[in-house]
Each structure stands twice: as C-alpha cells, then as structure tokens.
Amino acid sequence: MTAAERRAQAKVEFDAYMEACPTSRLMAVLGNKWTTMLLNRLAENGTMRHAELARAVPGVSTKMLTQSLRGLERDGLVTRHVTPAVPVQVDYTLTVLGESLIPIVATVREWADRHMPDMDAARTRYDAGQAGLAPPAPARSLG
C-alpha cells in the first residue's frame, strides 16, 4: 500500500470515528447558530409558541427557526404540540433530555463570557505577529 493510499484509508477511518463519536455529534448540535439560543429561551420561559420564539430570538428567519426546532425535536431535546385552531397554534417545550443539557450550555456561556476577551486578545497578538507587527501586551492572567 502506498503512502497516499494509507493516508486515504486513515482519513476514511477517522471520518467514521468522528461520525460515531458522541462528543463530536453533540458539538455538531450545539454548534448550530440558533440551538443554544432556542434552548436557553425555552429554559427561561417554559413552553413557547413559534411566534414567541421568533420574537425572543432576533435575527432568526422563519425558515431557520423552523429548521432548528425540527432538528431539536428530532434529537429529542424539544417536543412540539400542535393545537388545531384558526390559526394553528404550535407550542414547543424542552424535554427532560433537553433540560438535562441546560446546565452544560450555561457552563459554556459562563466560560465564554469570562474568557472570550482573552481569546480575542490572543488572536490580536497572533495576527499582529503574523503581519510582522510588534505584538500587543499579553492578556490578563486567568488567576
């Protein structure tokens, strides 16, 4: 087997591993632009109608809101209840599984609030170094 064939085989094996990896699969769900916002809104407010969620998450289009909610429903994180009326009322609620994810999302949000300024500063230093400029002062200590 040639080196190129070994690399190609290793890539296939790695891709299969990543597809099956629970952490990678969860991060793909949480990495969706609207997932954490929707989970947080439902955690804060309980059951919400589609229109209420649309107002609570500024910037999301109707199409993306619907797709994101369908994905969350498919993943078992949200339940959808349709009340036949004119117009039809559609309510969304976190499932027990969805509720169990909220502390993890909250921890990630807290980490981001605390450390994103440090990451931004590190990026600025890195970019300045790549451009051959004098690097800015180091970021504050995490102490």
Side-chain angles (χ1 to χ4, degrees):
M1 184 180 292
T2 68
E5 290 170 334
R6 284 193 303 274
R7 283 193 303 273
Q9 180 180 352
K11 181 184 181 324
V12 167
E13 291 170 2
F14 181 76
D15 289 346
Y17 166 77
M18 289 302 288
E19 189 174 319
C21 174
T23 303
S24 179
R25 293 171 55 209
L26 176 61
M27 294 308 292
V29 171
L30 293 179
N32 175 293
K33 182 175 182 177
W34 305 109
T35 294
T36 56
M37 286 186 185
L38 292 169
L39 292 173
N40 282 325
R41 294 302 174 266
L42 289 168
E44 293 164 1
N45 300 306
T47 299
M48 294 180 75
R49 291 199 174 131
H50 190 277
E52 291 174 318
L53 281 164
R55 286 189 297 276
V57 182
V60 66
S61 68
T62 301
K63 178 182 176 181
M64 284 310 304
L65 176 60
T66 299
Q67 286 179 354
S68 297
L69 287 167
R70 283 184 184 157
L72 292 172
E73 183 181 11
R74 180 176 180 255
D75 291 334
L77 302 174
V78 168
T79 58
R80 177 178 183 259
H81 178 57
V82 178
T83 303
V86 178
V88 172
Q89 296 176 358
V90 182
D91 298 316
Y92 294 90
T93 307
L94 287 177
T95 62
V96 172
L97 184 63
E99 289 174 358
S100 73
L101 191 54
I102 297 303
I104 296 163
V105 171
T107 300
V108 170
R109 184 175 58 201
E110 290 166 10
W111 188 95
D113 288 345
R114 181 172 178 188
H115 297 293
M116 282 311 296
D118 298 321
M119 285 182 65
D120 292 338
R123 289 175 179 170
T124 299
R125 285 192 311 278
Y126 179 88
D127 293 346
Q130 293 298 306
L133 305 173
R140 64 178 171 80
S141 170
L142 298 179

